[in-house]
Amino acid sequence: MMRSLFSGVSGLKSHQTRMDVIGNNISNVNTVGFKSSRTTFAETLNQTLTGASAPDDPTTGGTNPKQIGLGTGVASIDMIFTDGSVQSTGKNTDLCLSGNGLFIVRQGDNTYYTRDGAFEFDAAGNYVLPGSGLYVQGWERDANGNIDTGTAPTDIVVPSGQTIDARESTSATFSGNLNAESLPGTALTSTISVYASQGQHYSVPVVFTKTGTNAWSYKVPSWQAPDGTTAKLDGTVTFDKDGKYSSGGTSKMTVTLANTDGSKTPITLDLAATDLTQYAAESTLHVQQDGYSSGTLVSISIDNQGIITGTYSNGVKRQEARVAIAQFANAAGLTKTGNNLYQTSNNSGQPSIGTNSALGVTITPSALEMSNTDIANEFADMIITQRGFQSNSKIITVGDEMLETLINMKR
């Protein structure tokens, strides 16, 4: 009878633990990136009254052991690391992860991992978890404008109002179509935007003139900017009988800047017109050139590769950083530290750090991952747990009544 009492007590404790886990799952039904847990039970030690006997006697068979169980215990509390639903937020700094991956955040020398992608930029331009101020880790563009994902990730910082230096124009490319039905002498004008090293902008006209059946010349006419800057260009482009580019079409354009001190500074552009065609269709001239004036950061956006792109007032879009992702062999083995954060444990393994595409993880920008708590399942488990708790309490009650009967036998 005493064994049954202790078995009932162990059952009460185990079911209470299970109820605690269920309560935590339900309380976090709306927690961003929350991963629910489940409780499993296992039979505890058994008291052996008699052991098993082998069927060695020719007159009798073998016998099974006689054992009395001593109750139950919590075998494990497992984290269910399945994806939650994707909830669109419309906030351009929010990120949602799907698959086996976590964001990396840092506080001092401590590194944490999280599925909570409710990030934003603080006053200093740090990309952080706003509730705790932890720095999101990733890779920033280097001095050469590259994002090297092969290095160790660092804090992502994109200061508000940062500027981009002016860049001198070095090349321009024409594309489109020149009408094959145009008569010789027909002229078409296009404009090239040229930027000097200090950001001065010049709109230089280029005139295409048909000189033969399959030939066009292009040049800058007599042009001079108000400050005295001039430009020079002479070239030809020819087409074959099918209207495709044949020869010519590569020239150098020289823009001579008139400086305020009276000196002259030449800018040379490599100009290409090899992408042109000559078909019997409307003439459409397009030009794409490099170079730009200085600009100030206006807005940022994040794509499904975790790349943070800045848009500047001069129209330039530049990649600023990329968010790093960590992947674990056993993500369910991570240790929860609160605030939607995890740390490595002896059974989680060490993280593999890389881009989401390299690790097979999906990023959804302007969205958050919802909790993966299944309310219907949790309420069903709650009923089962409650009945299990009541059953074990009944064991204790009946055992107590039996003891009372035994004690009253002496009266």
Side-chain angles (χ1 to χ4, degrees):
M1 286 184 292
M2 293 303 296
R3 286 189 292 257
S4 65
L5 285 173
F6 286 113
S7 293
V9 171
S10 69
L12 289 178
K13 291 181 177 179
S14 298
H15 282 80
Q16 179 60 59
T17 299
R18 184 176 182 178
M19 191 64 195
D20 293 338
V21 173
I22 293 172
N24 183 62
N25 290 341
I26 295 176
S27 68
N28 285 283
V29 68
N30 288 316
T31 300
V32 175
F34 175 76
K35 301 302 177 188
S36 61
S37 299
R38 70 176 183 186
T39 307
T40 59
F41 298 155
E43 185 182 16
T44 56
L45 296 174
N46 287 272
Q47 182 178 2
T48 302
L49 300 182
T50 60
S53 62
D56 296 332
D57 191 330
T59 61
T60 60
T63 60
N64 295 327
K66 298 176 182 178
Q67 294 179 295
I68 300 176
L70 300 179
T72 186
V74 176
S76 66
I77 299 176
D78 306 313
M79 182 165 56
I80 310 301
F81 213 85
T82 57
D83 292 341
S85 300
V86 178
Q87 179 66 50
S88 176
T89 64
K91 186 176 181 182
N92 64 341
T93 56
D94 286 344
L95 297 177
C96 173
L97 277 184
S98 300
N100 181 16
L102 296 100
F103 299 111
I104 309 169
V105 293
R106 181 187 66 82
Q107 182 181 42
D109 294 332
N110 297 317
T111 299
Y112 300 93
Y113 306 91
T114 183
R115 292 281 286 200
D116 182 358
F119 305 135
E120 65 180 31
F121 289 93
D122 64 13
N126 300 300
Y127 198 37
V128 298
L129 263 174
S132 56
L134 273 65
Y135 299 109
V136 181
Q137 302 296 286
W139 301 278
E140 295 188 304
R141 63 187 304 274
D142 57 25
N144 297 320
N146 301 316
I147 298 178
D148 187 359
T149 58
T151 60
T154 59
D155 300 346
I156 295 176
V157 184
V158 184
S160 175
Q162 76 175 2
T163 59
I164 184 172
D165 295 335
R167 178 179 175 183
E168 181 178 289
S169 298
T170 60
S171 64
T173 302
F174 282 100
S175 61
N177 181 65
L178 296 172
N179 194 343
E181 296 179 333
S182 297
L183 299 175
T186 300
L188 301 170
T189 302
S190 184
T191 302
I192 299 178
S193 291
V194 180
Y195 294 90
S197 59
Q198 294 183 347
Q200 302 98 314
H201 173 242
Y202 302 96
S203 295
V204 181
V206 177
V207 178
F208 282 78
T209 304
K210 190 169 186 180
T211 58
T213 303
N214 294 313
W216 294 73
S217 68
Y218 53 89
K219 65 169 54 179
V220 175
S222 298
W223 173 85
Q224 181 172 305
D227 64 359
T229 294
T230 59
K232 182 179 180 181
L233 171 67
D234 283 296
T236 59
V237 59
T238 62
F239 303 92
D240 61 19
K241 63 181 180 63
D242 295 321
K244 296 180 180 179
Y245 166 80
S246 177
S247 64
T250 55
S251 308
K252 290 188 180 295
M253 174 189 232
T254 302
V255 179
T256 304
L257 301 178
N259 300 318
T260 55
D261 60 0
S263 62
K264 303 288 185 178
T265 303
I267 299 177
T268 302
L269 281 75
D270 292 325
L271 190 143
T274 57
D275 290 339
L276 290 172
T277 59
Q278 182 184 256
Y279 298 131
E282 181 182 356
S283 294
T284 55
L285 279 175
H286 308 287
V287 63
Q288 181 67 43
Q289 68 284 322
D290 63 0
Y292 43 77
S293 60
S294 61
T296 303
L297 182 65
V298 175
S299 64
I300 63 100
S301 61
I302 307 177
D303 64 15
N304 59 8
Q305 297 298 312
I307 298 174
I308 301 173
T309 300
T311 301
Y312 291 81
S313 58
N314 56 2
V316 173
K317 292 186 177 181
R318 186 178 73 176
Q319 294 184 1
E320 302 292 340
R322 186 169 187 175
V323 176
I325 303 297
Q327 190 174 75
F328 291 86
N330 179 27
L334 291 167
T335 300
K336 293 184 177 182
T337 61
N339 294 322
N340 288 347
L341 303 176
Y342 303 90
Q343 282 189 311
T344 57
S345 72
N346 292 333
N347 196 38
S348 66
Q350 292 303 307
S352 298
I353 298 175
T355 62
N356 67 302
S357 55
L359 298 177
V361 179
T362 301
I363 292 180
T364 305
S366 300
L368 293 175
E369 180 190 21
M370 296 293 98
S371 169
N372 70 347
T373 298
D374 186 333
I375 288 293
N377 185 63
E378 295 299 330
F379 276 112
D381 283 350
M382 185 188 300
I383 294 172
I384 295 171
T385 303
Q386 181 183 15
R387 295 309 180 194
F389 188 90
Q390 290 174 337
S391 299
N392 280 276
S393 67
K394 193 65 176 178
I395 293 174
I396 298 174
T397 301
V398 173
D400 176 59
E401 292 175 354
M402 293 175 69
L403 284 174
E404 184 179 6
T405 300
L406 180 63
I407 292 172
N408 290 335
M409 286 178 63
K410 189 175 181 302
R411 294 180 181 177

